[in-house]
């Protein structure tokens, strides 16, 4: 046992795997369906069992389980979270729900405005590395596909969950599933709130999600729709000059998809829309904060600067239509895809002057805005012979602002027994957000002259997947040009958005998961998981030059996760994470940039099932570490939460 644990501690892993994953359909790795073992890319999966047992309260916390993923949180319950994969910035990751893109053209800070809770998720698939040849813009350093769960039985089920804990936190969710012979639907609603662990860190979050699936003569019609509403104190989120910030967002997502079987081919079409309303208060308005009186914000004897006449109001709209066909023949599998996407912003601060102001937000009106159209054509082909498969792809993308681009990919793999050696190459890109192009207030200035980001991605890896073991080792290289960053030349200088530099990243991921055999279950250990990731950029920060995002990344991270089954009803899970973040930040009050300190985080959870009632208890940051995922945004120390759920 000592030798076994020494070996495991030297390695690492992101998820619990079993034999069934040999045939799991992975939609994140290619435009056509394939199993995990046959994938020529590094794909990480979190399944339903892990989601249920994990000592977390939000999707953001759950994603921190993935080796190579950095969920930079700014509060409890994932109040606002910036995602990074393989050292990329928060703008360089794409999130999808059931294969539908959720990217927001205003800013990547809204990427995790998800309209559902943990209990609505079936599994999460993460494609590591660039994927523009599949998903187009913004899948620059990786893509995360969240698959929601649906009722498989021909009956009605309902579940109610309530809980609470430290920092005056409270959470609740109710869901109903119903289905018939050729139909199933789900609707859920949730509410989370907290008074905050310190001043101006309170939040209020509500979600509503609905999903329906119909079988029509062997074809599939699916509808997804959801709404996210959150208000939160944003202490030091975007600026330390004006720390008492506040933000309100409302996000509406919907999609309709049709999949038709045509013998050996499949035709799929998607129609989707996303609307996001954002009110950003650089000076928080409300009781015990600033009051709006006679055109000014006043707090006691304090009046805000004259240049701040009102809050920032933004409304972004996204509409898209895509259609693809999968063809299967003796020459292999082929996917052809066409995608059209329209993005628009209406704002008090972002964009160019509108011909006619829109008077529907805030005390003022939308006088600025912009829009852009994007169309892409993509083709991907997979050919297999004996133990080798090769897939080649090309996406041609045209944007009416940034022009024409070509994004090829070539992936190959050799499979023997239950093992695979694979290699991949692709070119990816990202369009600047409207915030990067136009923002100009509070000492931060965007630039209309920004070019789109480009990267070349290289990866080689080895995978072993059988009944009790899952092992994956990958090394990669990303060569990035025209990388957009917000930079500062001194502690009193403005933040400027620019294509600051080239940023190349080299790294690797190592993962190992082991399902214990019955002979070892006397220790009550059911699963052992370890993960290690290393990432290094050859871009150099030279004081007084200060990078806000590009050079702020995880240098390395160790994950350890243990799951115990003490009885059939009682289970425990423990997670330990040790991470070192590169980069630096200037503390409140000014001074020289300071490096991030290493942090050790320990979490634990207990679940007890009593017939239809499940009780849970979660302890997070047990060591009460003081740490930061983002400059000057302190995260909570030890906190405890618990609750119960009832199914009927």
């Amino acid at each position: 046992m000592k030798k076994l644990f020494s070996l495991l501690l030297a390695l690492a892993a992101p998820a619990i795997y079993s034999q069934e994953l040999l045939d799991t359909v992975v939609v994140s790795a290619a435009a056509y369906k394939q199993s995990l073992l046959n994938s020529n890319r590094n794909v990480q999966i979190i399944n339903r069992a892990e989601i249920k047992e994990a000592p977390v309260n939000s999707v953001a916390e759950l994603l921190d389980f993935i080796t190579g993923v950095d969920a930079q949180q700014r509060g409890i319950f994932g109040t606002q979270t910036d995602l990074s994969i393989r050292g990329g910035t928060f703008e360089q990751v794409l999130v999808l729900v059931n294969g539908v893109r959720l990217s927001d053209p205003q800013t990547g800070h809204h990427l995790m405005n998800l309209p559902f809770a943990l209990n609505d998720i079936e599994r999460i698939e993460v494609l590591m590395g660039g994927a523009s040849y599949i998903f187009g813009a913004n899948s620059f350093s990786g893509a995360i596909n969240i698959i929601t769960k649906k009722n498989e039985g021909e009956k009605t089920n309902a579940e109610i969950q309530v809980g609470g804990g430290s920092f005056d936190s409270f959470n609740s969710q109710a869901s109903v599933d119903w289905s018939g012979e050729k139909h199933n639907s789900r609707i859920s609603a949730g509410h989370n709130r907290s008074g905050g662990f310190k001043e101006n860190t309170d939040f209020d979050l509500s979600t509503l999600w609905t999903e329906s699936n119909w079988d029509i003569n062997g074809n599939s019609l699916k509808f997804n729709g959801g709404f996210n509403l959150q208000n939160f104190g944003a202490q030091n989120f975007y600026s330390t000059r004006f720390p008492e910030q506040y933000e309100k967002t409302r996000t509406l997502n919907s999609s309709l998809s049709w999949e038709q079987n045509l013998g050996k081919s499949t035709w799929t079409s998607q129609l989707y829309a996303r609307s996001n309303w954002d009110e950003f208060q650089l000076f928080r308005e409300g009781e015990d904060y600033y009051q709006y009186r006679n055109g000014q914000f006043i707090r006691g004897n304090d009046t805000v600067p004259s240049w701040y006449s009102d809050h920032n109001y933004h409304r972004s709209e996204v509409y898209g239509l895509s259609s693809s066909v999968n063809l299967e023949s003796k020459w292999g599998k082929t996917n052809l895809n066409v995608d059209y996407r329209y993005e628009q912003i209406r704002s008090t601060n972002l964009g160019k002057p509108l011909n006619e102001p829109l008077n529907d937000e805030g005390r003022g009106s939308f006088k600025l805005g912009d829009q852009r159209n994007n169309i892409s054509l993509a083709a991907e082909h997979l050919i297999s012979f004996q133990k080798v498969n090769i897939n080649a792809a090309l996406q041609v993308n045209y944007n009416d602002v940034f022009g024409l681009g070509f994004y090829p990919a070539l992936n190959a793999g050799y499979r023997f027994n239950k093992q695979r050696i694979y290699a991949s190459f692709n070119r990816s890109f990202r369009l600047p957000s409207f915030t990067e192009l136009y923002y100009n207030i509070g000492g931060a200035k965007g630039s209309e002259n920004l070019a789109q980001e480009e990267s070349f991605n290289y990866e080689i890896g080895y995978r072993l997947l059988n009944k009790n073991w899952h092992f994956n080792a990958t090394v990669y290289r990303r060569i990035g040009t025209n990388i957009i960053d917000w930079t500062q030349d001194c502690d009193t200088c403005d933040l400027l958005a620019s294509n600051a530099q080239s940023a190349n990243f080299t790294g690797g991921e190592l993962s190992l998961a082991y399902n214990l055999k019955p002979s070892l279950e006397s220790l009550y250990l059911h699963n052992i998981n370890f993960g290690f990731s290393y990432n290094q950029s050859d871009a150099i920060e030279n004081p007084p030059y200060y990078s806000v995002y590009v050079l702020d990344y995880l240098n390395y991270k160790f994950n350890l996760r243990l799951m115990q089954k003490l009885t059939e009803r009682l289970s425990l899970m423990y997670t330990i994470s040790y991470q070192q973040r590169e980069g630096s930040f200037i503390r409140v009050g000014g001074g020289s940039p300071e490096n991030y300190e290493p942090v050790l985080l320990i979490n634990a959870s207990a679940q007890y099932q009593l017939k239809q009632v499940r009780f849970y208890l979660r302890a997070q940051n047990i060591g009460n570490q003081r740490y930061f995922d983002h400059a000057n945004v302190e995260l909570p120390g030890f906190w405890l939460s618990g609750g119960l759920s009832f199914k009927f």
Side-chain angles (χ1 to χ4, degrees):
M1 286 302 299
K2 289 182 179 179
K3 291 181 179 179
L4 172 63
F5 279 97
S6 296
L7 171 64
L8 293 173
L9 286 169
L11 300 173
I16 296 172
Y17 291 89
S18 62
Q19 180 68 32
E20 68 184 46
L21 280 178
L22 285 168
D23 299 314
T24 294
V25 173
V26 179
V27 300
S28 295
Y32 35 74
K33 297 178 181 180
Q34 61 181 177
S35 68
L36 179 62
L37 187 53
N38 286 329
S39 170
N40 291 327
R41 297 290 304 274
N42 184 9
V43 182
Q44 307 287 349
I45 296 177
I46 302 178
N47 60 30
R48 180 61 200 159
E50 276 198 307
I51 296 171
K52 182 179 178 180
E53 300 284 348
V56 299
N57 292 297
S58 68
V59 180
E61 296 167 13
L62 184 66
L63 288 172
D64 247 350
F65 281 2
I66 294 288
T67 301
V69 175
D70 178 18
Q72 299 179 349
Q73 301 179 70
R74 303 193 183 191
I76 61 176
F77 283 89
T79 306
Q80 186 187 83
T81 301
D82 291 342
L83 294 178
S84 170
I85 295 179
R86 291 183 171 177
T89 70
F90 70 96
E91 296 279 11
Q92 296 173 347
V93 177
L94 179 65
V95 172
L96 306 97
V97 174
N98 299 322
V100 178
R101 295 174 53 176
L102 291 189
S103 59
D104 191 292
Q106 179 197 337
T107 173
H109 290 310
H110 298 323
L111 190 63
M112 290 295 287
N113 290 1
L114 301 175
F116 44 74
L118 280 171
N119 198 39
D120 296 314
I121 300 174
E122 181 63 30
R123 72 180 186 273
I124 299 176
E125 302 169 348
V126 180
L127 175 59
M128 314 298 292
S132 288
Y133 67 97
I134 308 174
F135 302 119
N138 292 34
S139 50
F140 187 87
S141 62
I144 297 173
N145 189 28
I146 301 174
I147 294 92
T148 57
K149 66 181 182 181
K150 60 182 180 180
N151 188 26
E152 299 291 350
E154 295 183 13
K155 58 183 179 180
T156 299
N157 298 299
E159 183 174 3
I160 296 175
Q161 178 175 309
V162 294
S166 304
F167 317 124
D168 189 30
S169 62
F170 170 80
N171 64 283
S172 61
Q173 187 191 17
S175 61
V176 178
D177 296 271
W178 68 96
S179 59
E181 183 178 351
K182 294 186 176 183
H183 165 264
N184 62 75
S185 293
R186 176 180 177 85
I187 185 169
S188 70
H191 179 71
N192 298 332
R193 63 167 175 78
S194 170
F197 61 95
K198 67 176 186 178
E199 181 69 17
N200 197 33
T201 60
D202 56 305
F203 75 88
D204 193 282
L205 167 66
S206 297
T207 59
L208 177 65
W209 173 254
T210 183
E211 177 178 351
S212 291
N213 301 271
W214 292 270
D215 184 334
I216 303 175
N217 298 324
N219 304 311
S220 176
L221 179 65
K222 300 179 181 179
F223 171 77
N224 295 331
F227 182 71
N228 174 295
L229 170 65
Q230 59 179 339
N231 307 323
F232 54 93
Q235 187 74 13
N236 290 324
F237 270 29
Y238 307 106
S239 170
T240 58
R241 297 187 191 180
F242 317 103
E244 292 183 331
Q245 303 151 48
Y246 193 74
E247 192 156 13
K248 302 177 182 179
T249 63
R250 293 171 287 162
T251 308
L252 178 65
N253 296 283
S254 60
S255 68
L256 183 67
S257 64
W258 168 258
E259 183 176 299
Q260 184 173 1
N261 293 316
L262 304 170
K264 290 187 176 182
S265 63
T266 304
W267 174 49
T268 303
S269 293
Q270 290 181 341
L271 180 66
Y272 60 92
R274 173 186 171 92
S275 298
N276 190 80
W277 296 264
D278 176 33
E279 176 184 334
F280 174 64
Q281 303 177 4
L282 191 63
F283 299 89
R284 180 169 179 174
E285 180 182 0
E287 187 178 354
D288 299 327
Y289 291 93
Y290 288 91
Q291 305 291 324
Y292 187 75
R293 299 172 186 168
N294 300 321
Q296 288 186 313
F297 291 95
I298 300 172
R299 182 179 184 181
N301 296 323
D302 183 24
T303 302
V304 304
S306 59
W307 48 260
Y308 191 83
S309 59
D310 203 351
H311 306 312
N312 291 341
Y313 298 92
H314 317 284
R315 188 181 73 204
S316 61
E317 305 279 353
V318 175
Y319 304 101
L321 174 64
S322 66
S323 185
S324 65
V325 60
N326 280 300
L327 307 171
E328 189 171 345
S329 68
K330 63 180 181 180
W331 295 287
K333 296 180 179 180
T334 302
N335 176 270
L336 303 174
N337 176 266
V338 58
D339 180 90
Y340 169 75
R341 182 179 176 89
Y342 172 78
E343 298 178 338
Q344 173 188 277
I345 186 77
R346 296 293 181 260
S347 173
T348 58
N349 181 257
L350 304 177
K352 302 173 183 178
L354 297 174
N355 293 330
E356 295 183 8
L358 302 177
N359 298 292
D360 62 350
E361 290 289 340
R363 284 174 285 260
S365 61
F366 289 151
K367 297 181 180 180
L368 303 174
D370 200 2
Q371 54 278 323
R372 56 197 185 197
N373 295 275
N374 198 90
I375 187 168
S376 63
L377 302 173
E380 184 169 355
H381 183 72
L382 170 68
I383 184 171
S384 301
F385 50 94
Q386 295 182 350
K387 298 180 180 181
V388 176
N389 66 12
I390 300 173
N391 61 300
L394 174 67
Q395 177 162 131
V396 180
N397 190 86
Y398 175 75
N399 186 277
D400 60 358
V401 176
F402 295 95
L404 186 67
F406 297 85
Y407 303 96
L410 181 64
N411 308 317
Y414 175 77
R415 175 174 174 173
F416 52 102
N417 298 324
K418 296 176 181 178
Q419 304 170 72
R420 172 170 290 275
I421 300 172
Y422 57 89
S424 70
F425 157 80
N426 67 82
R427 183 175 185 231
S428 293
F429 73 108
R430 180 182 78 85
L431 302 176
S433 69
F434 288 127
T435 297
E436 292 169 323
L437 291 168
Y438 296 113
Y439 194 83
N440 186 6
I441 195 171
K445 296 180 180 180
S447 172
E448 296 184 44
N449 298 319
L450 293 176
Q452 67 182 32
E453 297 179 328
E454 305 275 354
S455 72
F456 289 97
N457 302 276
Y458 306 87
E459 175 182 324
I460 58 173
Y462 165 81
R463 179 184 298 117
L464 165 67
L465 185 61
N466 63 21
K467 183 176 181 180
N468 295 311
W469 289 89
H470 174 256
F471 175 79
N472 193 89
T474 306
V475 294
Y476 59 85
R477 172 77 168 168
R478 182 172 72 249
I479 300 175
T481 57
N482 292 330
I483 302 302
I484 299 171
D485 197 8
W486 291 86
T487 60
Q488 190 174 24
D489 290 335
C490 65
D491 58 0
T492 58
C493 297
D494 288 337
L495 281 172
L496 303 176
S498 63
N499 296 105
Q501 58 182 312
S502 298
N504 305 327
F505 284 85
T506 303
E509 295 128 6
L510 188 66
S511 62
L512 177 68
Y514 181 54
N515 294 334
L516 271 69
K517 298 178 181 179
S519 61
L520 299 178
E521 289 183 354
S522 58
L523 298 174
Y524 303 108
L525 286 174
H526 187 65
N527 300 98
I528 303 175
N529 303 266
F530 296 84
F532 170 70
S533 61
Y534 173 80
N535 194 40
Q536 185 63 52
S537 173
D538 55 22
I540 300 175
E541 183 172 6
N542 294 312
Y545 165 78
Y546 168 57
S547 165
V548 176
Y549 294 114
V550 170
L551 297 181
D552 179 355
Y553 60 90
L554 279 185
N555 181 214
Y556 59 83
K557 179 172 71 171
F558 292 90
N559 285 339
L560 164 64
R561 187 161 64 261
L562 304 174
M563 182 176 173
Q564 285 184 303
K565 286 281 189 180
L566 300 184
T567 69
E568 286 298 318
R569 295 180 177 178
L570 178 62
S571 62
L572 305 175
M573 181 180 278
Y574 317 91
T575 65
I576 301 173
S577 175
Y578 182 80
Q579 54 189 253
Q580 171 64 63
R581 185 176 301 281
E582 283 290 333
S584 60
F585 64 98
I586 301 172
R587 290 190 180 272
V588 177
S592 300
E594 299 181 25
N595 293 330
Y596 288 94
E597 295 293 330
V599 61
L600 174 67
L601 299 175
I602 304 173
N603 301 335
S605 68
Q607 312 258 1
Y608 185 79
Q609 191 76 40
L610 182 62
K611 295 184 178 179
Q612 293 168 292
V613 181
R614 178 172 61 93
F615 300 90
Y616 64 90
L617 182 67
R618 297 166 182 157
Q620 296 175 267
N621 194 1
I622 294 175
N624 198 33
Q625 294 283 296
R626 184 173 186 263
Y627 72 106
F628 304 83
D629 275 352
H630 185 72
N632 288 301
V633 184
E634 184 178 354
L635 289 167
F638 172 75
W639 59 295
L640 194 67
S641 61
L644 60 88
S645 65
F646 177 64
K647 282 187 176 182
F648 56 95

